[in-house]
Amino acid sequence: MVHTIYKKQQLNCDIEEAWKFFSSANNLAIITPPEMNFTVLTKMEDDEIFEGMIIDYYVSPIMGIEMKWKTEITHVDFQKSFTDFQKKGPYKLWNHHHEFIVNDYGVFMKDVVKYELPFGFLGEIAHKLFVRKKIEHIFDYRHKVLEELFNTKKKL
């Protein structure tokens, strides 16, 4: 069964700052809970993402078990949106679309994640027992860190 997560957050910054931060795979570790031991393995000359870009990571999503995760950037609309798709990792499907909308307050960010677990009904049981909560925890942590990074700046 395919599940969908919708998240949104207002960021107090301009589009250039938001795009630079979110399009850099190296910043993913900053917005991922520390207990997941998220490590970017791909060495990048610069942080500019492009369609077809492959990024490899290590992540420990459950009980400290280290797993490889490989994503491909499948869509880029400069300073508007990009999509990363899991090519190899813990999910049967993981498709994450990031959208950035400039407004009077800065940048409104929207995330839509479509995901599916492996193992059929056993995966669905795991989803109900702990996976959904773990994904919510990851996005809650991300929201908190982004609030600190972008929305606690003092206005001059």
Side-chain angles (χ1 to χ4, degrees), residues 57-70:
Y57 318 92
Y58 275 129
V59 64
S60 301
I62 301 168
M63 298 182 291
I65 300 168
E66 191 174 84
M67 303 178 94
K68 283 191 174 183
W69 187 323
K70 179 186 291 280

Side-chain angles (χ1 to χ4, degrees), residues 2-63:
V2 176
H3 303 277
T4 305
I5 297 172
Y6 300 96
K7 295 292 179 183
K8 57 188 177 183
Q9 188 168 6
Q10 178 65 46
L11 303 175
N12 181 17
C13 66
D14 60 27
I15 188 62
E16 290 79 12
E17 186 179 0
W19 185 261
K20 183 178 180 180
F21 183 85
F22 288 98
S23 64
S24 170
N26 291 315
N27 288 330
L28 281 170
I30 296 169
I31 59 175
T32 302
E35 69 271 12
M36 294 191 65
N37 300 315
F38 190 89
T39 306
V40 178
L41 298 173
T42 302
K43 301 296 180 211
M44 292 168 272
E45 300 267 331
D46 59 43
D47 282 340
E48 192 170 329
I49 63 169
F50 55 88
E51 288 182 21
M53 181 180 198
I54 302 292
I55 308 165
D56 291 301
Y57 318 92
Y58 275 129
V59 64
S60 301
I62 301 168
M63 298 182 291

Side-chain angles (χ1 to χ4, degrees), residues 118-140:
F119 310 120
F121 79 93
L122 293 175
E124 285 305 303
I125 292 170
H127 183 259
K128 288 179 182 170
L129 292 176
F130 62 90
V131 174
R132 181 180 69 227
K133 290 176 192 164
K134 182 70 170 183
I135 293 172
E136 286 294 332
H137 168 69
I138 292 166
F139 277 92
D140 289 346

